[in-house]
């Protein structure tokens, strides 16, 4: 009997043409973890039958899948995840680096695209893989600490997993991860325009939205539709306490522009950068923290505005500019 070493595992992603129809992976995402699950709602028969038993039957009800992915942030794979959770997308550029702009989709039905995640473990027969179609992100978090690599974590729900008929192709990402010390934070304006804050040691931003499966009597255990609801953008950062400015901002309810940029520092086709623009944020808490020196731990929430919108109009709390050598997502 053979075994399946976990070191040979790889995870791929691809945009679906039709939501729920699994597709072969377009790119392999190097990850530290991928925790998928098929979640079956068990329907219990506990109707009284004159015996001192409790459980008389168990029947399969609706089935969904879910997964949790995490690891170093790769600037080519990030575009797939941003497209999934935000929906609004446009690309410009005749050659690399291409500029990919993401914002909240406010036109049509407001539903972003869906993706298939492919988990290659070697365990399933025939192809050695399981695919998780109709994947809809409920949360995407980017985190950096100035002493570490920038990392991400994504969570999603989808349709029940399927086994593809043929073994998927491993198409590895060629983009290296980016050290967090290359990050830049702008408060009160863009970092590139002179409002760069150089004393932030940690930063994280979370894009989250309601994701609700709707099951109907359509003869299948999968959801009829997985609906994406409102988007919320929150985050936190740690700033060395050289003044009380962040506390004063909280007390005055000063709603400032916040920008986060992470770049590999290269140019032309080798450039990889991601820029989060939040035109208006409200501070939720500002707590002083005692270590070797004092720091402030600041929590914020982005506020919808007309500046951060994309081509679909409306209002949006954030816009993301991703630059890399990928032609389109």
């Amino acid at each position: 009997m053979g075994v399946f070493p976990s070191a040979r595992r790889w995870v791929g992603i691809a945009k679906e043409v039709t939501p729920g129809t699994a597709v072969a992976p377009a790119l392999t995402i190097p990850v530290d973890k991928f925790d998928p699950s098929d979640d079956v709602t068990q329907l219990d028969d506990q109707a009284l039958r004159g015996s001192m038993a409790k459980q008389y039957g168990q029947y399969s009800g609706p089935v969904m899948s879910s997964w949790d992915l995490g690891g170093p942030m790769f600037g080519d794979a990030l575009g797939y995840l941003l497209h999934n959770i935000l929906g609004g997308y446009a690309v410009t550029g005749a050659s690399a680096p291409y500029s990919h702009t993401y914002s909240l989709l406010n036109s049509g039905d407001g539903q972003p695209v869906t993706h298939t995640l492919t988990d290659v473990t070697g365990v399933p027969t025939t192809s050695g893989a399981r695919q998780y179609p109709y994947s809809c992100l409920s949360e995407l978090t980017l985190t950096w600490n100035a002493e570490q690599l920038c990392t991400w974590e994504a969570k999603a729900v989808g349709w029940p997993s399927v086994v593809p008929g043929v073994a998927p192709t491993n198409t590895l990402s060629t983009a290296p991860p980016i050290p967090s010390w290359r990050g830049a934070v702008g408060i009160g304006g863009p970092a590139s325009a002179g409002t760069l804050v150089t004393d932030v040691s940690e930063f994280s931003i979370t894009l989250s939205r309601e994701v609700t499966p709707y099951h109907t009597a359509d003869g299948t255990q999968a959801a009829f539709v997985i609906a994406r609801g409102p988007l919320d953008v929150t985050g936190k950062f740690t700033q060395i306490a050289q003044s009380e400015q962040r506390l004063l901002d909280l007390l005055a309810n000063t709603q400032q522009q916040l920008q986060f940029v992470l770049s590999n520092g290269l140019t032309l086709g080798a450039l990889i950068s991601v820029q989060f623009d939040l035109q208006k944020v409200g501070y939720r808490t500002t707590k002083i923290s005692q270590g070797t020196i004092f720091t402030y731990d600041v929590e914020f929430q982005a506020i919808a505005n007309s500046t951060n919108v994309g081509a679909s109009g409306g209002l949006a709390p954030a816009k993301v500019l991703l630059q890399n050598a990928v032609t389109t997502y």
Side-chain angles (χ1 to χ4, degrees):
M1 174 178 286
V3 294
F4 304 95
S6 59
R8 296 199 61 197
R9 184 185 209 178
W10 59 273
V11 177
I13 189 171
K15 183 177 71 171
E16 296 175 345
V17 178
T18 302
T21 300
V23 293
L27 181 69
T28 299
I29 310 175
V31 297
D32 288 338
K33 70 168 184 176
F34 183 62
D35 297 325
S37 175
D38 279 294
D39 308 312
V40 182
T41 301
Q42 301 292 359
L43 307 178
D44 297 327
D45 177 7
Q46 298 179 355
L48 298 175
R49 286 170 167 78
S51 297
M52 294 298 291
K54 179 179 181 179
Q55 188 79 3
Y56 292 99
Q58 178 177 295
Y59 307 93
S60 292
V63 182
M64 295 292 297
S65 69
S66 61
W67 52 261
D68 188 337
L69 171 150
M73 192 278 288
F74 289 84
D76 50 1
L78 179 61
Y80 291 98
L81 304 178
L82 290 170
H83 201 179
N84 189 291
I85 199 164
L86 289 172
Y89 171 67
V91 59
T92 57
S95 61
Y98 298 94
S99 296
H100 309 273
T101 302
Y102 300 88
S103 188
L104 187 60
L105 180 63
N106 287 318
S107 59
D109 59 9
Q111 300 300 298
V113 297
T114 59
H115 291 81
T116 297
L117 268 288
T118 299
D119 183 22
V120 182
T121 61
V123 179
T125 58
T126 308
S127 63
R130 274 201 172 268
Q131 294 185 309
Y132 297 85
Y134 211 146
S135 288
C136 301
L137 264 66
S138 60
E139 186 175 294
L140 174 61
T141 299
L142 265 69
T143 302
W144 63 255
N145 175 298
E147 299 178 0
Q148 302 170 5
L149 294 174
C150 181
T151 62
W152 63 21
E153 183 171 0
K155 299 179 181 180
V157 298
W159 272 7
S161 68
V162 296
V163 176
V166 296
T169 300
N170 188 357
T171 306
L172 287 171
S173 167
T174 59
I178 302 175
S180 295
W181 62 264
R182 287 191 172 277
V185 177
I187 299 178
S192 59
T195 53
L196 175 66
V197 177
T198 59
D199 55 3
V200 173
S201 61
E202 296 183 58
F203 190 98
S204 71
I205 187 167
T206 298
L207 312 178
S208 59
R209 64 189 310 165
E210 298 173 11
V211 178
T212 306
Y214 284 87
H215 294 274
T216 62
D218 59 355
T220 67
Q221 291 175 280
F224 177 77
V225 67
I226 303 175
R228 266 74 72 87
L231 172 74
D232 194 18
V233 179
T234 59
K236 57 186 178 181
F237 60 87
T238 299
Q239 186 174 18
I240 294 173
Q242 298 190 86
S243 73
E244 283 192 320
Q245 189 57 56
R246 296 291 84 78
L247 175 60
L248 298 177
D249 292 337
L250 170 69
L251 296 175
N253 193 27
T254 303
Q255 297 173 3
Q256 299 172 305
Q257 181 181 355
L258 180 62
Q259 185 186 74
F260 161 61
V261 183
L262 184 68
S263 170
N264 64 359
L266 301 179
T267 59
L268 302 177
L271 172 67
I272 299 175
S273 71
V274 57
Q275 175 179 307
F276 285 82
D277 285 303
L278 286 63
Q279 184 66 25
K280 199 174 186 181
V281 300
Y283 296 112
R284 310 298 289 186
T285 62
T286 301
K287 296 181 180 179
I288 195 166
S289 178
Q290 178 179 331
T292 304
I293 60 175
F294 286 109
T295 59
Y296 278 106
D297 296 324
V298 182
E299 296 183 354
F300 62 85
Q301 183 171 31
I303 298 171
N305 61 87
S306 59
T307 300
N308 292 147
V309 298
S312 63
L315 301 173
K319 179 183 287 187
V320 185
L321 173 64
L322 177 66
Q323 293 181 289
N324 56 31
V326 179
T327 56
T328 185
Y329 289 97

